[in-house]
Amino acid sequence: MFGKDSDMLMFERVDLFGCKQPLQRDECSDLEYFLFSQQPASQTLKEIELFLVANPTEIIIIFIEDYVQVPNGVSEVFTNAGLKQFWFPVSKMPKTGGDWPTVDEMIQTNQRLLVFTSVESKEESEGIAYEWNYMVENMCEYTNYIQVES
């Protein structure tokens, strides 16, 4: 499984762009450099579609820090990239502590792309899972190295 988070922005209503801080080529893997250098999201998502077609036992998880305000802008770019065929639907995500499907079940149903957004309203409006409905953040802190070893 491969998971990565990316900011999504829309410029001039033409395309979404995935971007993070500028990546230094020597500080990341080839895949990270390719996927998360600043480029149109449609281009990145098309590469993900090609990867999923070529690798039928792989699962990809995408976390979007979402700044897109155009209605259906995010879901549209995923649809245009041909990724809806791999989409794990929100309706099948576990509610109130239920179990996730196994990796084998996800592969058998070809629902191998999990997409999460930082915007709660997009779960209802676009069918993109709101991340905090399905996960928790570990808020532990270590004040010194000795705590880590024990």
Side-chain angles (χ1 to χ4, degrees):
M1 276 191 236
F2 177 76
K4 188 66 177 172
D5 70 304
S6 181
D7 296 349
M8 277 204 170
L9 308 164
M10 180 168 269
F11 293 105
E12 299 178 10
R13 300 178 64 102
V14 175
D15 199 354
L16 300 178
F17 280 74
C19 55
K20 278 296 200 189
Q21 302 88 356
L23 297 172
Q24 298 299 318
R25 184 69 181 97
D26 59 344
E27 294 179 358
C28 57
S29 72
D30 290 341
L31 183 60
E32 287 175 321
Y33 184 79
F34 172 76
L35 288 177
F36 299 103
S37 297
Q38 201 166 18
Q39 66 180 357
S42 59
Q43 181 180 336
T44 300
L45 295 175
K46 191 62 183 168
E47 290 296 324
I48 291 172
E49 187 262 344
L50 293 172
F51 175 85
L52 287 168
V53 168
N55 299 278
T57 60
E58 297 294 331
I59 295 170
I60 293 181
I61 304 168
I62 299 174
F63 295 92
I64 302 169
E65 187 170 327
D66 196 334
Y67 298 100
V68 178
Q69 296 181 4
V70 175
N72 298 310
V74 176
S75 58
E76 185 176 306
V77 76
F78 276 90
T79 299
N80 292 344
L83 287 169
K84 287 295 186 166
Q85 64 182 317
F86 303 108
W87 196 270
F88 189 90
V90 170
S91 62
K92 289 190 174 181
M93 291 187 177
K95 307 290 187 215
T96 62
D99 291 330
W100 285 89
T102 65
V103 169
D104 285 340
E105 290 167 341
M106 293 174 74
I107 291 168
Q108 289 168 4
T109 60
N110 203 33
Q111 294 173 331
R112 302 180 290 121
L113 177 64
L114 291 101
V115 181
F116 297 92
T117 180
S118 60
V119 177
E120 187 171 11
S121 64
K122 289 192 178 181
E123 183 162 324
E124 179 71 28
S125 65
E126 295 191 47
I128 303 170
Y130 175 58
E131 60 193 349
W132 300 118
N133 284 344
Y134 304 96
M135 59 195 73
V136 295
E137 186 171 5
N138 183 349
M139 299 301 287
C140 68
E141 283 187 31
Y142 296 105
T143 58
N144 62 50
Y145 181 73
I146 294 169
Q147 286 180 308
V148 176
E149 288 188 332
S150 44

